[in-house]
């Protein structure tokens, strides 16, 4: 989830696209490797929280109680704390996203999942270098398994720009939430 401050060079190693498969093409089924394993952060916006609640048939308050918690952002955004999806302990996979189905492959909010999830694997830290791309493919079998049509440079550029705007929204909302919490 880290968001490096530096921009990727205009003409880079990925100028001919990247081979791999987007999480967009797996319908509701995900490989699960990206949704389980070591501890991580899946930050989301208020709008996404509301959409996920609706998808699950919950009130927004119920959704936050069951599936979210405020966590230290560990420097991923400019706010100290933000809302993240909870993780559950799993004997097989370490920690798993609270929204990952019992089969370990189905996302219960797939069409309304956070942008962080839908943009994967096109995150800045994954596309900085050829080595970082290859390392990510080793860690996420869903991307490496298909190794199909390349992501175009235009798609990568658009996705990174969308993520930058998204992180600004998440960060702004986190600052607002912290200010309200201080007043209470």
């Amino acid at each position: 989830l880290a968001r490096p401050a530096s921009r990727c060079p205009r003409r880079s190693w990925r100028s001919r696209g990247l081979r791999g498969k987007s999480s967009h093409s797996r319908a509701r089924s995900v490989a699960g490797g990206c949704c389980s394993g070591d501890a991580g952060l899946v930050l989301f916006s208020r709008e996404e929280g509301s959409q996920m609640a609706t998808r699950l048939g919950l009130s927004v308050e119920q959704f936050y109680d069951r599936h979210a918690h405020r966590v230290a952002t560990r420097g991923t955004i400019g706010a100290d704390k933000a809302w993240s999806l909870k993780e559950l302990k799993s004997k097989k996979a370490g920690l798993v996203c609270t929204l990952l189905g019992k089969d370990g492959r189905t996302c219960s909010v797939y069409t309304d999942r956070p942008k962080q999830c839908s943009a994967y694997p096109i995150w800045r830290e994954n596309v900085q270098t050829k080595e970082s791309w290859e390392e990510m493919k080793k860690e996420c079998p869903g991307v490496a398994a298909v190794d199909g049509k390349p992501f175009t440079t235009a798609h990568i550029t658009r996705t990174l720009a969308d993520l930058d705007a998204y992180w600004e929204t998440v960060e702004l909302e986190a600052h607002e939430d912290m200010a309200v919490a201080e007043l209470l």
Side-chain angles (χ1 to χ4, degrees):
L1 173 62
R3 185 175 50 143
S6 65
R7 297 273 184 222
C8 297
R10 189 185 251 329
R11 188 91 172 128
S12 72
W13 67 274
R14 56 189 164 79
S15 61
R16 285 187 267 154
L18 300 175
R19 290 214 165 283
K21 183 177 182 182
S22 167
S23 60
H24 293 287
S25 59
R26 288 196 287 275
R28 288 178 46 88
S29 180
V30 295
C34 311
C35 309
S36 62
D38 296 334
L41 299 175
V42 179
L43 306 180
F44 59 92
S45 69
R46 290 182 191 135
E47 180 181 355
E48 290 171 325
S50 178
Q51 290 170 336
M52 289 185 284
T54 300
R55 172 73 47 199
L56 295 171
L58 301 172
S59 70
V60 172
E61 185 176 288
Q62 289 171 320
F63 172 79
Y64 278 82
D65 285 345
R66 293 180 193 176
H67 299 289
H69 58 156
R70 290 195 32 90
V71 296
T73 62
R74 299 179 249 175
T76 57
I77 63 173
D80 294 332
K81 289 191 171 191
W83 288 102
S84 179
L85 293 175
K86 290 180 180 176
E87 297 170 306
L88 307 171
K89 290 182 181 178
S90 165
K91 291 180 183 177
K92 293 180 183 177
L95 296 171
V96 298
C97 175
T98 182
L99 300 174
L100 192 60
K102 292 186 189 324
D103 65 359
R105 299 183 59 81
T106 306
C107 176
S108 59
V109 296
Y110 188 84
T111 55
D112 294 306
R113 68 200 183 282
K115 181 168 256 330
Q116 176 182 344
C117 301
S118 65
Y120 194 82
I122 308 298
W123 292 355
R124 284 202 185 279
E125 63 268 30
N126 292 341
V127 300
Q128 286 291 90
T129 65
K130 183 173 174 99
E131 293 76 21
S132 62
W133 181 254
E134 293 303 321
E135 186 61 31
M136 178 278 309
K137 285 172 50 177
K138 289 178 195 171
E139 294 174 12
C140 186
V143 175
V146 174
D147 208 26
K149 287 184 177 179
F151 295 102
T152 66
T153 302
H155 173 78
I156 295 164
T157 302
R158 186 174 53 252
T159 300
L160 293 175
D162 288 350
L163 279 172
D164 286 344
Y166 172 74
W167 290 126
E168 288 177 16
T169 298
V170 171
E171 185 174 315
L172 175 66
E173 291 177 357
H175 282 297
E176 291 171 352
D177 289 346
M178 288 173 16
V180 169
E182 288 176 10
L183 294 174
L184 299 177

